[in-house]
Amino acid sequence: MRSGNRRYRMDSTVRQARLDDADDVVSFAEQVWNERPDTVDYIPDVFADWVESDGPDQHTVVAEVDGTAAGLCQVVLLTDHEAWFQGMRVDPDHRGEGLGLSMVEHCFDWARQRGATVGRNMVFSWNDAGLGQSVAAGFEPDTAFRFAHPEPDTDADPDVPVRNDPDAAWSYWTASDARTHLSGLALDPDRAWALSELTRDRLHRLADEEAVLAVTADGTTGMACRTGTRSEPSGDGALAEYAVGAWDDRGAAASLFDAIRADAAALEVEETRVLIPETPRHVAEAAAVRAELADWPDFVLSADLT
């Protein structure tokens, strides 16, 4: 069967995932990164939790072929109009049969019925197959970001004042090149690996519950916002997460990252993770002020669900 240029396997079924799909899902998920032996798929660790936590705002599906789960996809409603798609996997033995397209279209419909007008997903920049599958399924390239990891430091001291000021941060963010490059997106405060629109209301909430850092010297020249702390997946300590970091120049970057180092040290965490725009300026200036950088950027793709 074809829809436009899309080919589907006629004997496959997309349905709600069940706990008894775990063996099938784990079996093919463990093969996904065979060409990257240093990469371990997170799906085996989260599949049961995904199934058990499905509900009005979350939907996990599998593509079933001959009674066997051969594909996986999850959609989550982040806000009243933003849906996030993740965990898109297809058994290597069934690639090219349209299972990924069938699951994504099913999830598109589920999200639309609940009011979502945009859907997004994230793909590692080195994942050629994932990028191709996402574009084939109807997502379009949107933006790119990288994680910076400034080390917590009790002795860090910004050169200029940095205060918890959501209004200053919002004014800076709305006019920044970082916001333009990132399409207004930042880490979602409730989903560690999802991005959603950063709003003024969210900044005020984070200022009350966490911290919003505004670099203020002759106006505001940079901002960041902490979304919380969590345990490292490796179990090696705690991590402080910052939804986004943006700044004017190297001097502002130095002050902002020093403020993040001091903030993280006060929380007594071992590591940080700060989302920054994947632009030559932001990456180079973050490196110049000794903020360790992830080895590669991540790509965000989006789909119009209207």
Side-chain angles (χ1 to χ4, degrees):
M1 179 172 64
R2 288 183 179 272
S3 176
N5 293 323
R6 302 178 180 183
R7 180 170 62 86
Y8 298 88
R9 180 167 177 153
M10 296 185 66
D11 59 349
S12 66
T13 301
V14 176
R15 59 164 174 80
Q16 182 94 27
R18 305 186 299 251
L19 285 176
D20 60 10
D21 294 317
D23 287 346
D24 292 337
V25 170
V26 169
S27 178
F28 67 71
E30 289 178 339
Q31 302 177 57
V32 168
W33 309 127
N34 279 348
E35 297 178 357
R36 294 183 66 91
D38 58 333
T39 302
V40 178
D41 199 340
Y42 68 94
I43 295 298
D45 294 329
V46 302
F47 178 75
D49 289 339
W50 280 8
V51 172
E52 292 176 339
S53 60
D54 271 350
D57 296 331
Q58 178 181 294
H59 187 51
T60 309
V61 301
V62 296
E64 182 180 288
V65 177
D66 298 331
T68 299
L72 173 71
C73 185
Q74 185 186 77
V75 55
V76 179
L77 297 180
L78 300 178
T79 68
D80 59 359
H81 68 283
E82 296 172 276
W84 186 259
F85 294 76
Q86 58 190 6
M88 288 184 278
R89 305 284 190 274
V90 173
D91 186 330
D93 292 338
H94 292 280
R95 287 177 180 165
E97 298 175 1
L99 302 187
L101 307 184
S102 296
M103 291 187 296
V104 169
E105 290 196 349
H106 172 97
C107 290
F108 277 178
D109 289 341
W110 183 90
R112 284 191 190 99
Q113 291 167 11
R114 286 153 182 82
T117 57
V118 62
R120 302 186 184 96
N121 76 335
M122 182 181 74
V123 183
F124 293 132
S125 56
W126 48 259
N127 185 359
D128 297 351
L131 290 168
Q133 177 176 295
S134 291
V135 171
F139 292 93
E140 296 292 337
D142 191 343
T143 187
F145 68 90
R146 191 181 296 243
F147 284 116
H149 304 281
E151 186 174 352
D153 184 355
T154 55
D155 296 325
D157 185 18
D159 291 336
V160 298
V162 178
R163 63 176 189 259
N164 187 19
D165 189 335
D167 289 323
W170 175 250
S171 293
Y172 178 80
W173 172 248
T174 56
S176 68
D177 59 344
R179 182 178 186 271
T180 300
H181 175 81
L182 291 168
S183 299
L185 304 177
L187 281 179
D188 188 85
D190 301 314
R191 298 277 177 169
W193 283 97
L195 277 70
S196 57
E197 295 168 9
L198 182 60
T199 65
R200 186 182 195 127
D201 287 345
R202 179 173 293 175
L203 282 175
H204 275 269
R205 170 189 152 194
L206 291 175
D208 290 338
E209 299 176 357
E210 297 291 341
V212 174
L213 307 175
V215 180
T216 54
D218 297 324
T220 305
T221 58
M223 59 80 67
C225 48
R226 173 168 28 96
T227 57
T229 61
R230 64 184 178 90
S231 298
E232 279 279 54
S234 63
D236 293 334
L239 171 81
E241 292 192 299
Y242 298 81
V244 70
W247 59 88
D248 274 358
D249 51 32
R250 179 178 174 179
S255 293
L256 182 65
F257 281 107
D258 276 345
I260 290 171
R261 292 183 177 98
D263 181 67
L267 297 171
E268 298 183 343
V269 300
E270 286 72 29
E271 296 188 41
T272 69
R273 188 173 80 157
V274 186
L275 184 150
I276 68 171
E278 177 66 8
T279 72
R281 180 178 76 80
H282 288 94
V283 173
E285 290 177 351
V289 299
R290 300 175 294 101
E292 181 181 348
L293 295 168
D295 292 337
W296 56 76
D298 296 309
F299 294 159
V300 176
L301 300 93
S302 65
D304 184 348
L305 302 183
T306 59

